[in-house]
Each structure stands twice: as structure tokens, then as C-alpha cells.
Amino acid sequence: MDIDGDGHPDLISGSWPGEIFLFRGTADHSFAAREMLKYKDGEIIDIGGGTEPYRGGQGILIRGFVERETVDGRSYVTYHGKRIESTPEKPVVTTGTASVVSAADWDGDGDYDLIVGNINGDVYLVPNEGTAESYAFGKEKKLMAGGQPVHVTERAGPCVADWDGDGDLDLLVGSDDGSVWLYSNTGSAKAPELAAGVRLLPSSRRSNPREYSKEAQRGSRSKICVADWNGDGRPDLLVGDFAQQRPGRPDPTPEELTKQDRIRRELEPLQKQYSALLQKLTGPSPVRTKEENDKLNEEMKQLREKMQSLQSQLPHEYENHGWVWLFSRK
């Protein structure tokens, strides 16, 4: 895509924190340093991001991209240009909204708009109110389909494409449970209207590790790309995922099983101790003073070292993988 009309392909990406990053294409076929896309008013696009009280005002929660630094033993985070000190008495905690973005000319006016999904399973339109050469993004609004907001279980991964070949753009959305949904455009290229969702792929989530196989199986967090993969003139579906499977190793011997059971019994009380200390540090009634905080952190460090030593002697029950699956259109 060429978001600024300079003839060089650009790259746009969502992020775990939530901001939308632009990497501008250059004349030498590389990319410039990242920049965060902004609304036309100059604010950084961070749908669902921001700061809010944490633990009843005893801390600060930030949803978004932060930079951390330590100066003279004091910890700071910087969020969208604002520098905030993090202390044991009022810690700064960070998380993200897991944005996924698809850039497309949603309203047929000749420039790129943004379709953004987030960790809550919602999908938004960020309209480009500028031009093909000079974008200017307006405030986001939830996309509607069949009279209801577009929504999947969690971690919406939108992709915009003409799925039915009628000349306008449809919406496909991957979900945290591995399913993929189609929202057909029953309007037009310039005035899109989405029908209620139709499930193209079923859920693939497995909650019990015993269900994991040694063979590759479709996983969760579906992320989609639509392309004519086999050149037959029909759009195919490429789906990336997050998957877990059992390692491909021989089953343990009886002696190995006995040793593993002993280690797990040794680990259990250490894990309970660690959870209790963590609750004191981050629970609803956390410790207040720096001395208490330092003491707890040291105790937790020692417990972590003991647990890691024991865990290193246990085989991994499963491994994390990311697969890409091809679904050819019939």
C-alpha cells in the first residue's frame, strides 16, 4: 500500500500496546524508522488506550506503548510524551489492546482508511478525511453489521477484501478462538453496509493440554490474508495462528515418570509461597514502603531461582508454535 501517494510502498502494522505504526517506503526499497499514526488533530491513534487509576487509585494503569528509564535509582515511564514516575507506593502497570489493522479504501473515495480490531473483539473504522497524498484520520467508530456492532470473542483480526467478487469490499475477521467470520457488504463500494456475520472457519480452541497433539493442529488468534494463492481467479484464505502442541519425543519411562512426580511435589509448596508473596506485592492491599517492597522482591527472587532449578529438570508438556494455513476456495 502507498498511504502518502509518493510512489513507494509503505507498511502499516498494529501492535500489542495498541498504537498503529507506519513504516514509510523509501526510494532505495527499504523503510524509514517507525512512526505512530495520528488523528488529524495531532493525537496518537490508540483505540481503547490511555491511563486510568489502578487498584483503587493506588497505582496507574497504562494501555499503550511506553518507554522506560531509570534515573538515579528512580523508575519512569513515558507515554505519548508524558513522563510518569513509578514508585512502590504508586506503581505504573502497563498492558495493551492488541491492535490489528487493515488499510483499505473503505468508502471508495480514493484514499486509505483504517479498519482496526482489538483485544476485546471489536472492530473500528478510522476514516481518512484527507486525500490519497495527505492522509487526515478522523475519530474511530465501531463498524456495524446487521444492525449490531461487529464483535468476535476476543483479539479481532480484520482483513478487508472483495470476497464475493461483486466489486465492493467485504470484511473478514479472525477471532481468538480460531474462528473466521465473513461480513458481506450488501451496500456499495462508496456506501458499504455489512450483513450479519457468517462463520467461514469454526473455533479451534483447546482448553485442556491433554488435547494437544504431536502433529500440527490449527490454533487460536486467527489472523487473515485474502489472496488468489493458486491463480484460479478466486480469492483464497491464508490464516496465521498461535498454536500449542506436544513435543515430538518418546514417552517417558516409568523411572522418568517417578522422578518427574517427585519434582512436581517439591514445586507445589514453592509455587504457593510465590503466589502469596505476589499477592502481598500487587493484590488489593499491597505493601506500602520501599523497605517492604525490597524485602518481598528479594524473597520472590530466591523462590524463582529454586523453582527454575526444579522446572529445568521437567520436560515441557507443550510447545508454542505459529502456523499459516491455506484454505483454497472451491
Side-chain angles (χ1 to χ4, degrees):
M1 60 160 296
D2 181 6
I3 196 170
D4 50 14
D6 64 356
H8 306 306
D10 306 306
L11 177 65
I12 289 181
S13 175
S15 67
W16 160 248
E19 288 80 356
I20 310 298
F21 288 89
L22 168 64
F23 300 84
R24 294 183 188 272
T26 62
D28 63 357
H29 306 292
S30 62
F31 292 98
R34 71 187 183 195
E35 56 184 280
M36 296 182 194
L37 283 178
K38 298 179 179 179
Y39 298 108
K40 63 183 181 180
D41 64 6
E43 292 293 319
I44 292 171
I45 299 174
D46 184 15
I47 300 172
T51 63
E52 61 185 76
Y54 176 66
R55 292 190 321 211
Q58 297 174 5
I60 300 171
L61 176 65
I62 298 177
R63 290 186 175 90
F65 180 80
V66 303
E67 295 178 316
R68 297 180 179 274
E69 61 179 331
T70 300
V71 180
D72 297 330
R74 303 173 76 173
S75 298
Y76 298 90
V77 299
T78 300
Y79 171 67
H80 293 185
K82 183 179 180 181
R83 193 169 184 241
I84 306 169
E85 184 176 4
S86 179
T87 66
E89 295 78 20
K90 195 167 187 176
V92 174
V93 180
T94 61
T95 187
T97 59
S99 63
V100 177
V101 61
S102 180
D105 185 6
W106 183 249
D107 51 10
D109 63 353
D111 55 35
Y112 282 100
D113 308 293
L114 305 178
I115 307 297
V116 182
N118 68 11
I119 198 168
N120 294 328
D122 302 315
V123 181
Y124 294 83
L125 166 66
V126 183
N128 187 349
E129 299 171 0
T131 66
E133 294 75 29
S134 180
Y135 59 80
F137 292 112
K139 290 296 183 180
E140 73 276 356
K141 53 186 176 183
K142 282 188 177 181
L143 280 179
M144 306 293 290
Q148 299 293 326
V150 174
H151 182 79
V152 295
T153 54
E154 287 179 321
R155 296 179 183 269
C159 177
V160 177
D162 183 4
W163 182 252
D164 50 17
D166 63 355
D168 56 36
L169 294 176
D170 307 298
L171 175 68
L172 295 91
V173 183
S175 174
D176 184 69
D177 67 0
S179 61
V180 173
W181 294 80
L182 168 65
Y183 301 85
S184 297
N185 185 354
T186 57
S188 66
K190 291 185 176 293
E193 293 184 15
L194 297 177
V198 175
R199 189 167 60 183
L200 296 183
L201 293 180
S203 169
S204 58
R205 177 178 285 160
R206 296 169 184 84
S207 58
N208 187 345
R210 294 192 180 117
E211 298 175 5
Y212 299 153
S213 168
K214 291 183 180 181
E215 305 301 322
Q217 293 179 301
R218 202 163 62 83
S220 59
R221 305 183 191 179
S222 294
K223 302 296 182 290
I224 311 164
C225 178
V226 174
D228 182 4
W229 184 257
N230 53 14
D232 65 355
R234 291 171 292 188
D236 304 304
L237 198 60
L238 292 160
V239 181
D241 67 13
F242 169 78
Q244 294 177 313
Q245 67 185 65
R246 293 168 56 201
R249 60 171 178 257
D251 292 331
T253 65
E255 293 77 14
E256 289 171 331
L257 284 173
T258 299
K259 179 182 177 182
Q260 292 169 19
D261 288 341
R262 176 181 57 78
I263 293 173
R264 290 189 179 97
R265 287 195 298 271
E266 291 181 37
L267 265 172
E268 186 175 356
L270 298 178
Q271 291 168 332
K272 289 182 178 179
Q273 291 177 46
Y274 189 86
S275 296
L277 293 176
L278 185 62
Q279 183 70 10
K280 288 184 179 180
L281 192 65
T282 63
S285 301
V287 296
R288 294 286 186 155
T289 68
K290 184 178 184 304
E291 291 74 17
E292 290 176 312
N293 187 78
D294 290 345
K295 182 181 177 182
L296 277 175
N297 278 319
E298 181 59 30
E299 291 179 31
M300 291 172 69
K301 177 184 175 183
Q302 293 179 13
L303 277 174
R304 275 197 304 270
E305 291 173 351
K306 292 179 182 178
M307 290 190 297
Q308 288 168 358
S309 175
L310 291 170
Q311 287 165 342
S312 67
Q313 302 175 57
L314 291 173
H316 293 295
E317 293 185 31
Y318 56 84
E319 298 172 336
N320 295 337
H321 292 272
W323 305 107
V324 178
W325 302 86
L326 170 63
F327 296 89
S328 299
R329 190 75 172 271
K330 293 183 178 180

